[in-house]
Amino acid sequence: EAGGLCVPAHINRGSSGVLGALGFLPQGVHYDALEVSPAAPLTADVTGYRLLRSSDAHSLEQMLEREFALDAIAGRTQPD
């Protein structure tokens, strides 16, 4: 790891998500969080994981995510 976070993106998003591609969430890998799509069903047990729910927005009006969310996952705090 080069100091980055391990956050698999849209794990429940059809064939492009890890659950659709593999059918399961690989074990033995450290995940800082999992990003899930609120528009698709979540079929895996994600107990104990931090979850990010992304809108996967394609326009500025749809973007509602907070910009410091990943810093919070990494244990850093939001600047004052």
Side-chain angles (χ1 to χ4, degrees):
E1 182 174 313
L5 296 173
C6 181
V7 181
H10 54 296
I11 64 167
N12 62 327
R13 188 85 183 251
S15 62
S16 62
V18 69
L19 295 177
L22 299 178
F24 61 93
L25 187 62
Q27 300 300 306
V29 178
H30 170 75
Y31 302 111
D32 295 291
L34 303 173
E35 189 270 330
V36 297
S37 172
L42 184 57
T43 59
D45 179 13
V46 294
T47 304
Y49 291 105
R50 293 177 179 155
L51 299 180
L52 297 175
R53 285 178 170 60
S54 174
S55 66
D56 197 21
H58 292 267
S59 69
L60 288 175
E61 295 81 22
Q62 295 174 330
M63 292 183 187
L64 301 174
E65 293 86 10
R66 296 174 176 244
E67 63 185 68
F68 60 86
L70 292 180
D71 285 339
I73 289 169
R76 296 184 289 265
T77 58
Q78 178 184 9
D80 290 25

Tab-separated table of all heavy atoms in Angstrom, residues 23-59:
chain	number	residue	atom	x	y	z
A	23	GLY	N	-19.374	-12.543	-7.466
A	23	GLY	CA	-20.427	-13.186	-6.709
A	23	GLY	C	-20.194	-13.150	-5.207
A	23	GLY	O	-21.005	-13.637	-4.437
A	24	PHE	N	-19.092	-12.585	-4.779
A	24	PHE	CA	-18.754	-12.497	-3.355
A	24	PHE	C	-17.742	-11.385	-3.149
A	24	PHE	O	-17.134	-10.905	-4.101
A	24	PHE	CB	-18.186	-13.826	-2.834
A	24	PHE	CG	-16.905	-14.237	-3.532
A	24	PHE	CD1	-15.663	-13.884	-3.007
A	24	PHE	CD2	-16.942	-14.965	-4.707
A	24	PHE	CE1	-14.486	-14.253	-3.646
A	24	PHE	CE2	-15.767	-15.335	-5.364
A	24	PHE	CZ	-14.545	-14.980	-4.828
A	25	LEU	N	-17.551	-11.002	-1.901
A	25	LEU	CA	-16.551	-10.010	-1.528
A	25	LEU	C	-15.309	-10.762	-1.064
A	25	LEU	O	-15.379	-11.519	-0.097
A	25	LEU	CB	-17.090	-9.123	-0.406
A	25	LEU	CG	-16.247	-7.930	0.000
A	25	LEU	CD1	-16.096	-6.953	-1.172
A	25	LEU	CD2	-16.873	-7.214	1.177
A	26	PRO	N	-14.190	-10.644	-1.758
A	26	PRO	CA	-12.990	-11.397	-1.392
A	26	PRO	C	-12.570	-11.148	0.056
A	26	PRO	O	-12.564	-10.012	0.524
A	26	PRO	CB	-11.931	-10.876	-2.361
A	26	PRO	CG	-12.698	-10.369	-3.527
A	26	PRO	CD	-13.971	-9.814	-2.933
A	27	GLN	N	-12.261	-12.207	0.764
A	27	GLN	CA	-11.790	-12.127	2.140
A	27	GLN	C	-10.262	-12.079	2.144
A	27	GLN	O	-9.622	-12.387	1.155
A	27	GLN	CB	-12.287	-13.339	2.926
A	27	GLN	CG	-13.803	-13.446	2.975
A	27	GLN	CD	-14.445	-12.237	3.636
A	27	GLN	OE1	-14.101	-11.877	4.741
A	27	GLN	NE2	-15.380	-11.611	2.939
A	28	GLY	N	-9.690	-11.694	3.261
A	28	GLY	CA	-8.235	-11.627	3.373
A	28	GLY	C	-7.643	-10.354	2.806
A	28	GLY	O	-6.435	-10.225	2.703
A	29	VAL	N	-8.499	-9.423	2.408
A	29	VAL	CA	-8.054	-8.135	1.883
A	29	VAL	C	-8.515	-7.073	2.874
A	29	VAL	O	-9.647	-7.119	3.349
A	29	VAL	CB	-8.670	-7.848	0.496
A	29	VAL	CG1	-8.237	-6.493	-0.024
A	29	VAL	CG2	-8.328	-8.951	-0.483
A	30	HIS	N	-7.645	-6.118	3.195
A	30	HIS	CA	-8.041	-5.033	4.085
A	30	HIS	C	-8.764	-3.966	3.275
A	30	HIS	O	-8.216	-3.405	2.340
A	30	HIS	CB	-6.813	-4.408	4.767
A	30	HIS	CG	-7.163	-3.142	5.498
A	30	HIS	ND1	-7.839	-3.147	6.691
A	30	HIS	CD2	-6.968	-1.844	5.171
A	30	HIS	CE1	-8.023	-1.896	7.081
A	30	HIS	NE2	-7.510	-1.099	6.174
A	31	TYR	N	-10.025	-3.736	3.626
A	31	TYR	CA	-10.814	-2.678	3.003
A	31	TYR	C	-11.019	-1.583	4.036
A	31	TYR	O	-11.466	-1.843	5.145
A	31	TYR	CB	-12.183	-3.190	2.562
A	31	TYR	CG	-12.130	-4.351	1.605
A	31	TYR	CD1	-12.535	-5.619	2.001
A	31	TYR	CD2	-11.684	-4.182	0.305
A	31	TYR	CE1	-12.500	-6.687	1.130
A	31	TYR	CE2	-11.633	-5.244	-0.576
A	31	TYR	CZ	-12.043	-6.500	-0.157
A	31	TYR	OH	-12.006	-7.550	-1.026
A	32	ASP	N	-10.684	-0.342	3.693
A	32	ASP	CA	-10.937	0.794	4.590
A	32	ASP	C	-12.423	1.110	4.646
A	32	ASP	O	-12.922	1.602	5.654
A	32	ASP	CB	-10.143	2.017	4.141
A	32	ASP	CG	-8.650	1.776	4.270
A	32	ASP	OD1	-8.171	1.685	5.416
A	32	ASP	OD2	-7.979	1.646	3.226
A	33	ALA	N	-13.114	0.848	3.565
A	33	ALA	CA	-14.557	1.064	3.467
A	33	ALA	C	-15.031	0.376	2.202
A	33	ALA	O	-14.222	-0.073	1.384
A	33	ALA	CB	-14.881	2.552	3.416
A	34	LEU	N	-16.340	0.313	2.031
A	34	LEU	CA	-16.950	-0.209	0.816
A	34	LEU	C	-17.904	0.850	0.290
A	34	LEU	O	-18.684	1.412	1.049
A	34	LEU	CB	-17.738	-1.489	1.109
A	34	LEU	CG	-16.977	-2.638	1.747
A	34	LEU	CD1	-17.944	-3.751	2.131
A	34	LEU	CD2	-15.903	-3.156	0.820
A	35	GLU	N	-17.839	1.104	-1.001
A	35	GLU	CA	-18.753	2.071	-1.601
A	35	GLU	C	-19.891	1.279	-2.228
A	35	GLU	O	-19.671	0.366	-3.012
A	35	GLU	CB	-18.028	2.918	-2.650
A	35	GLU	CG	-18.843	4.087	-3.158
A	35	GLU	CD	-19.691	3.756	-4.375
A	35	GLU	OE1	-19.286	2.890	-5.166
A	35	GLU	OE2	-20.760	4.363	-4.524
A	36	VAL	N	-21.120	1.597	-1.833
A	36	VAL	CA	-22.282	0.898	-2.351
A	36	VAL	C	-23.206	1.876	-3.062
A	36	VAL	O	-23.291	3.040	-2.720
A	36	VAL	CB	-23.048	0.150	-1.235
A	36	VAL	CG1	-22.183	-0.933	-0.619
A	36	VAL	CG2	-23.550	1.098	-0.170
A	37	SER	N	-23.891	1.362	-4.049
A	37	SER	CA	-24.849	2.179	-4.783
A	37	SER	C	-26.211	2.048	-4.134
A	37	SER	O	-26.712	0.929	-3.957
A	37	SER	CB	-24.934	1.716	-6.234
A	37	SER	OG	-25.994	2.381	-6.892
A	38	PRO	N	-26.845	3.162	-3.759
A	38	PRO	CA	-28.185	3.074	-3.171
A	38	PRO	C	-29.244	2.653	-4.188
A	38	PRO	O	-30.340	2.286	-3.811
A	38	PRO	CB	-28.436	4.495	-2.666
A	38	PRO	CG	-27.541	5.365	-3.461
A	38	PRO	CD	-26.358	4.527	-3.844
A	39	ALA	N	-28.894	2.652	-5.474
A	39	ALA	CA	-29.850	2.320	-6.521
A	39	ALA	C	-29.893	0.824	-6.826
A	39	ALA	O	-30.687	0.390	-7.651
A	39	ALA	CB	-29.498	3.091	-7.792
A	40	ALA	N	-29.051	0.022	-6.164
A	40	ALA	CA	-28.991	-1.411	-6.443
A	40	ALA	C	-29.071	-2.189	-5.135
A	40	ALA	O	-28.651	-1.699	-4.091
A	40	ALA	CB	-27.690	-1.733	-7.175
A	41	PRO	N	-29.607	-3.417	-5.187
A	41	PRO	CA	-29.688	-4.208	-3.956
A	41	PRO	C	-28.298	-4.624	-3.469
A	41	PRO	O	-27.387	-4.830	-4.265
A	41	PRO	CB	-30.509	-5.430	-4.373
A	41	PRO	CG	-30.399	-5.500	-5.849
A	41	PRO	CD	-30.160	-4.106	-6.339
A	42	LEU	N	-28.162	-4.745	-2.175
A	42	LEU	CA	-26.900	-5.172	-1.569
A	42	LEU	C	-27.089	-6.594	-1.077
A	42	LEU	O	-27.854	-6.844	-0.138
A	42	LEU	CB	-26.521	-4.239	-0.417
A	42	LEU	CG	-25.185	-4.505	0.262
A	42	LEU	CD1	-24.037	-4.461	-0.738
A	42	LEU	CD2	-24.953	-3.498	1.366
A	43	THR	N	-26.413	-7.545	-1.718
A	43	THR	CA	-26.633	-8.963	-1.447
A	43	THR	C	-25.547	-9.594	-0.586
A	43	THR	O	-25.581	-10.792	-0.353
A	43	THR	CB	-26.728	-9.740	-2.772
A	43	THR	OG1	-25.510	-9.551	-3.505
A	43	THR	CG2	-27.904	-9.263	-3.602
A	44	ALA	N	-24.586	-8.830	-0.129
A	44	ALA	CA	-23.483	-9.371	0.663
A	44	ALA	C	-23.600	-8.930	2.111
A	44	ALA	O	-24.191	-7.890	2.405
A	44	ALA	CB	-22.146	-8.908	0.089
A	45	ASP	N	-23.020	-9.701	2.996
A	45	ASP	CA	-22.950	-9.315	4.401
A	45	ASP	C	-21.804	-8.319	4.545
A	45	ASP	O	-20.644	-8.668	4.349
A	45	ASP	CB	-22.708	-10.536	5.272
A	45	ASP	CG	-22.610	-10.173	6.743
A	45	ASP	OD1	-22.963	-9.035	7.122
A	45	ASP	OD2	-22.162	-11.043	7.526
A	46	VAL	N	-22.128	-7.093	4.857
A	46	VAL	CA	-21.115	-6.041	4.983
A	46	VAL	C	-20.968	-5.598	6.438
A	46	VAL	O	-20.452	-4.515	6.708
A	46	VAL	CB	-21.430	-4.843	4.056
A	46	VAL	CG1	-21.321	-5.247	2.599
A	46	VAL	CG2	-22.808	-4.271	4.356
A	47	THR	N	-21.383	-6.451	7.360
A	47	THR	CA	-21.274	-6.161	8.785
A	47	THR	C	-19.825	-5.879	9.149
A	47	THR	O	-18.922	-6.625	8.766
A	47	THR	CB	-21.783	-7.362	9.620
A	47	THR	OG1	-23.112	-7.651	9.221
A	47	THR	CG2	-21.722	-7.062	11.101
A	48	GLY	N	-19.603	-4.791	9.867
A	48	GLY	CA	-18.261	-4.435	10.311
A	48	GLY	C	-17.484	-3.532	9.362
A	48	GLY	O	-16.414	-3.068	9.696
A	49	TYR	N	-18.018	-3.297	8.170
A	49	TYR	CA	-17.361	-2.413	7.211
A	49	TYR	C	-17.967	-1.017	7.279
A	49	TYR	O	-19.158	-0.857	7.492
A	49	TYR	CB	-17.525	-2.924	5.776
A	49	TYR	CG	-16.774	-4.183	5.473
A	49	TYR	CD1	-17.441	-5.389	5.367
A	49	TYR	CD2	-15.404	-4.163	5.284
A	49	TYR	CE1	-16.756	-6.559	5.077
A	49	TYR	CE2	-14.716	-5.319	4.990
A	49	TYR	CZ	-15.395	-6.515	4.885
A	49	TYR	OH	-14.715	-7.659	4.598
A	50	ARG	N	-17.150	-0.012	7.058
A	50	ARG	CA	-17.655	1.348	6.871
A	50	ARG	C	-18.214	1.414	5.464
A	50	ARG	O	-17.594	0.936	4.525
A	50	ARG	CB	-16.535	2.372	7.021
A	50	ARG	CG	-16.004	2.451	8.423
A	50	ARG	CD	-14.867	3.431	8.479
A	50	ARG	NE	-14.376	3.518	9.836
A	50	ARG	CZ	-13.155	3.873	10.147
A	50	ARG	NH1	-12.300	4.204	9.220
A	50	ARG	NH2	-12.778	3.926	11.403
A	51	LEU	N	-19.370	2.022	5.323
A	51	LEU	CA	-20.009	2.105	4.009
A	51	LEU	C	-20.080	3.543	3.534
A	51	LEU	O	-20.399	4.445	4.300
A	51	LEU	CB	-21.424	1.526	4.062
A	51	LEU	CG	-21.541	0.056	4.441
A	51	LEU	CD1	-23.017	-0.357	4.454
A	51	LEU	CD2	-20.758	-0.826	3.488
A	52	LEU	N	-19.801	3.723	2.266
A	52	LEU	CA	-20.008	5.004	1.591
A	52	LEU	C	-21.140	4.784	0.608
A	52	LEU	O	-21.150	3.802	-0.125
A	52	LEU	CB	-18.754	5.433	0.823
A	52	LEU	CG	-17.492	5.692	1.620
A	52	LEU	CD1	-16.343	5.986	0.671
A	52	LEU	CD2	-17.703	6.863	2.542
A	53	ARG	N	-22.081	5.680	0.606
A	53	ARG	CA	-23.158	5.602	-0.365
A	53	ARG	C	-22.984	6.751	-1.337
A	53	ARG	O	-23.116	7.905	-0.969
A	53	ARG	CB	-24.517	5.669	0.333
A	53	ARG	CG	-24.842	4.373	1.031
A	53	ARG	CD	-26.157	4.465	1.760
A	53	ARG	NE	-26.661	3.216	2.278
A	53	ARG	CZ	-26.055	2.424	3.154
A	53	ARG	NH1	-24.852	2.726	3.585
A	53	ARG	NH2	-26.611	1.321	3.588
A	54	SER	N	-22.678	6.392	-2.562
A	54	SER	CA	-22.384	7.398	-3.569
A	54	SER	C	-23.549	7.514	-4.539
A	54	SER	O	-24.152	6.517	-4.919
A	54	SER	CB	-21.121	7.006	-4.338
A	54	SER	OG	-20.896	7.889	-5.400
A	55	SER	N	-23.825	8.724	-4.946
A	55	SER	CA	-24.887	8.932	-5.921
A	55	SER	C	-24.425	8.587	-7.321
A	55	SER	O	-25.235	8.434	-8.214
A	55	SER	CB	-25.338	10.391	-5.889
A	55	SER	OG	-24.286	11.217	-6.333
A	56	ASP	N	-23.126	8.486	-7.551
A	56	ASP	CA	-22.571	8.256	-8.886
A	56	ASP	C	-23.089	9.322	-9.841
A	56	ASP	O	-23.497	9.065	-10.962
A	56	ASP	CB	-22.905	6.856	-9.381
A	56	ASP	CG	-22.018	6.420	-10.543
A	56	ASP	OD1	-20.924	7.007	-10.696
A	56	ASP	OD2	-22.400	5.513	-11.293
A	57	ALA	N	-23.099	10.554	-9.331
A	57	ALA	CA	-23.675	11.688	-10.052
A	57	ALA	C	-22.923	11.994	-11.341
A	57	ALA	O	-21.718	11.806	-11.432
A	57	ALA	CB	-23.668	12.918	-9.157
A	58	HIS	N	-23.667	12.462	-12.299
A	58	HIS	CA	-23.088	12.856	-13.582
A	58	HIS	C	-23.317	14.328	-13.892
A	58	HIS	O	-23.060	14.775	-15.003
A	58	HIS	CB	-23.656	11.982	-14.699
A	58	HIS	CG	-23.198	10.563	-14.597
A	58	HIS	ND1	-22.098	10.089	-15.258
A	58	HIS	CD2	-23.675	9.529	-13.867
A	58	HIS	CE1	-21.926	8.822	-14.969
A	58	HIS	NE2	-22.870	8.449	-14.115
A	59	SER	N	-23.800	15.084	-12.901
A	59	SER	CA	-23.931	16.520	-13.074
A	59	SER	C	-23.700	17.182	-11.719
A	59	SER	O	-23.869	16.560	-10.673
A	59	SER	CB	-25.309	16.893	-13.610
A	59	SER	OG	-26.299	16.654	-12.632
